[in-house]
Amino acid sequence: METNYRKLLDQMMTPYDEMLQSLIGDHADFSKVDYLEKHSEKYGKSDANYTNRLKVLLAMYNREDRYAPHYEPIVRRLLVNEIIDRETNSFQGIGDALYYAVFLLQKYEREQDQILFQQAKEANFDTYAGFDPELILEKYLFSKDAANIEDCINIASELGEDVYLSLFIDLWIKDQTDWNKENLQTLVYHERWRNHAEGEIEALKKLTEIEKTEGNHHNYCSTASSLAEKFIEAGRLDEAWETMETIIPLITKEEWFLYGLGRNIITACIHIIFHFGAESRQAASLWQTIKEILQPAANHMGTDQYQLAVSASKFMGDTTLEQRLIRLQKQR
């Protein structure tokens, strides 16, 4: 298995070396790594070339001649552009590229670069609070020679290498000899990273069964709730309803409806009720359980969840509960 994933890693990173080579010499082209502003409704302002910049830095960091003189102006330019991204990015954040750029440039020991390192530190709130140019530990940077399969999965996810990400995950799955809570929880995240809904559902089903057998009701409800939400996303509402039927009595008994876990479960139940319709047996069974706890739960809900609770009351024809929730909402 080791040979397979290392071969895949070499294949994935070969284009990064080619990008690095294109930055060397008189005809260097930095258009794919210099800061390029982009906007989206979801993420706001960001840098379209961030990932390319990180790829080049990874290629440089993993070369035997990584401190060669001809790399110095390149890594300095990459750092300048990374600082621009950190200063202007709507998400702020630190970004892995900052660590590699600072680490590599520090090795040239130029006094004038201290200004850049200070700018990197002060680029935004996250860098000021969580980034120290003098405390970058090499053991946390990605080394091709030392990377294991988990490292490969993480770096492929970070770089948006979806094809290689999926291949690495498949190799990791083949290497699992016995499924337990730890590796199933890891599998859930891996399947989520590669947008494999069916794989995530299967992992959650196995994990739910383990939690149920162990008898920890809170863990079981939490995992089963995640499973039900994935069923809803996948349009498998019958299975979502069957899952909720097993955990709703538990959140009622333990009064978890007053906390985040219970409120999220109630929200999922309402979505199921809306799907099947007020006259369905599925809606009737869920509503019979949650209507008694909806008011105390709603007192702890945010605006969106509260509105959903009001809508569910109206949908199920419970005018008394609907008006009570509306009055409470006005008092909040």
Side-chain angles (χ1 to χ4, degrees), residues 107-319:
K107 299 302 179 179
Y108 295 99
E109 299 182 336
R110 308 297 185 196
E111 183 63 31
Q112 67 267 28
D113 289 330
Q114 294 301 318
I115 296 175
L116 285 178
F117 301 149
Q118 188 63 27
Q119 287 176 340
K121 171 68 175 175
E122 297 175 355
N124 61 50
F125 177 82
D126 294 323
T127 56
Y128 187 80
F131 177 72
D132 190 334
E134 297 181 1
L135 295 178
I136 300 175
L137 301 179
E138 193 165 4
K139 66 180 180 179
Y140 295 124
L141 301 181
F142 182 83
S143 169
K144 281 178 63 176
D145 295 334
N148 58 32
I149 186 65
E150 293 264 14
D151 295 328
C152 293
I153 290 172
N154 291 333
I155 201 68
S157 177
E158 172 70 16
L159 295 170
E161 294 280 11
D162 294 341
V163 173
Y164 285 102
L165 172 64
S166 193
L167 291 171
F168 285 134
I169 291 174
D170 286 338
L171 288 175
W172 178 86
I173 290 173
K174 290 179 181 178
D175 200 40
Q176 306 307 305
T177 57
D178 181 43
W179 289 107
N180 52 52
K181 283 177 63 173
E182 184 177 356
N183 58 11
L184 280 171
Q185 287 168 343
T186 301
L187 180 59
V188 169
Y189 288 111
H190 287 348
E191 297 289 27
R192 189 174 301 162
W193 289 351
R194 64 172 173 176
N195 295 315
H196 185 207
E198 289 303 315
E200 188 177 347
I201 285 173
E202 290 305 310
L204 282 169
K205 285 169 69 174
K206 292 176 182 177
L207 191 56
T208 299
E209 285 304 313
I210 291 176
E211 299 286 13
K212 186 176 183 179
T213 301
E214 290 186 350
N216 185 313
H217 289 170
H218 187 277
N219 290 346
Y220 169 66
C221 285
S222 179
T223 307
S225 175
S226 297
L227 174 60
E229 289 171 2
K230 292 305 298 184
F231 279 142
I232 292 171
E233 290 176 18
R236 295 163 60 171
L237 275 297
D238 281 312
E239 290 166 285
W241 168 67
E242 291 169 358
T243 303
M244 283 301 179
E245 283 282 279
T246 67
I247 60 178
I248 277 292
L250 293 176
I251 74 160
T252 305
K253 179 181 179 181
E254 304 288 345
E255 293 194 349
W256 290 331
F257 54 85
L258 297 176
Y259 307 100
L261 170 63
R263 295 198 302 273
N264 291 337
I265 291 173
I266 290 171
T267 298
C269 286
I270 292 173
H271 286 303
I272 296 170
I273 287 170
F274 285 161
H275 171 79
F276 283 106
E279 302 302 321
S280 67
R281 65 185 179 86
Q282 293 92 340
S285 65
L286 289 179
W287 186 249
Q288 183 64 33
T289 307
I290 70 171
K291 69 177 183 179
E292 300 300 328
I293 61 174
L294 203 53
Q295 182 176 328
N299 287 329
H300 300 267
M301 288 180 175
T303 302
D304 290 343
Q305 283 185 321
Y306 203 107
Q307 289 293 345
L308 194 64
V310 174
S311 298
S313 302
K314 182 177 181 180
F315 184 77
M316 294 302 295
D318 196 328
T319 306

Side-chain angles (χ1 to χ4, degrees), residues 2-64:
E2 181 176 350
T3 303
N4 288 339
Y5 83 75
R6 291 196 178 278
K7 182 178 179 181
L8 279 176
L9 181 60
D10 286 335
Q11 291 175 0
M12 185 181 82
M13 295 189 69
T14 294
Y16 309 168
D17 285 309
E18 296 171 357
M19 290 174 65
L20 175 58
Q21 290 302 315
S22 73
L23 304 181
I24 301 173
D26 296 334
H27 302 288
D29 179 10
F30 285 85
S31 62
K32 293 182 179 179
V33 294
D34 282 347
Y35 179 80
L36 180 62
E37 185 176 301
K38 70 174 182 179
H39 296 263
S40 75
E41 290 187 10
K42 185 175 183 180
Y43 297 109
K45 186 187 299 183
S46 62
D47 180 7
N49 283 339
Y50 168 78
T51 300
N52 286 340
R53 195 160 51 248
L54 177 56
K55 289 176 179 179
V56 169
L57 287 163
L58 282 168
M60 192 185 305
Y61 175 78
N62 281 281
R63 291 184 65 88
E64 291 184 3

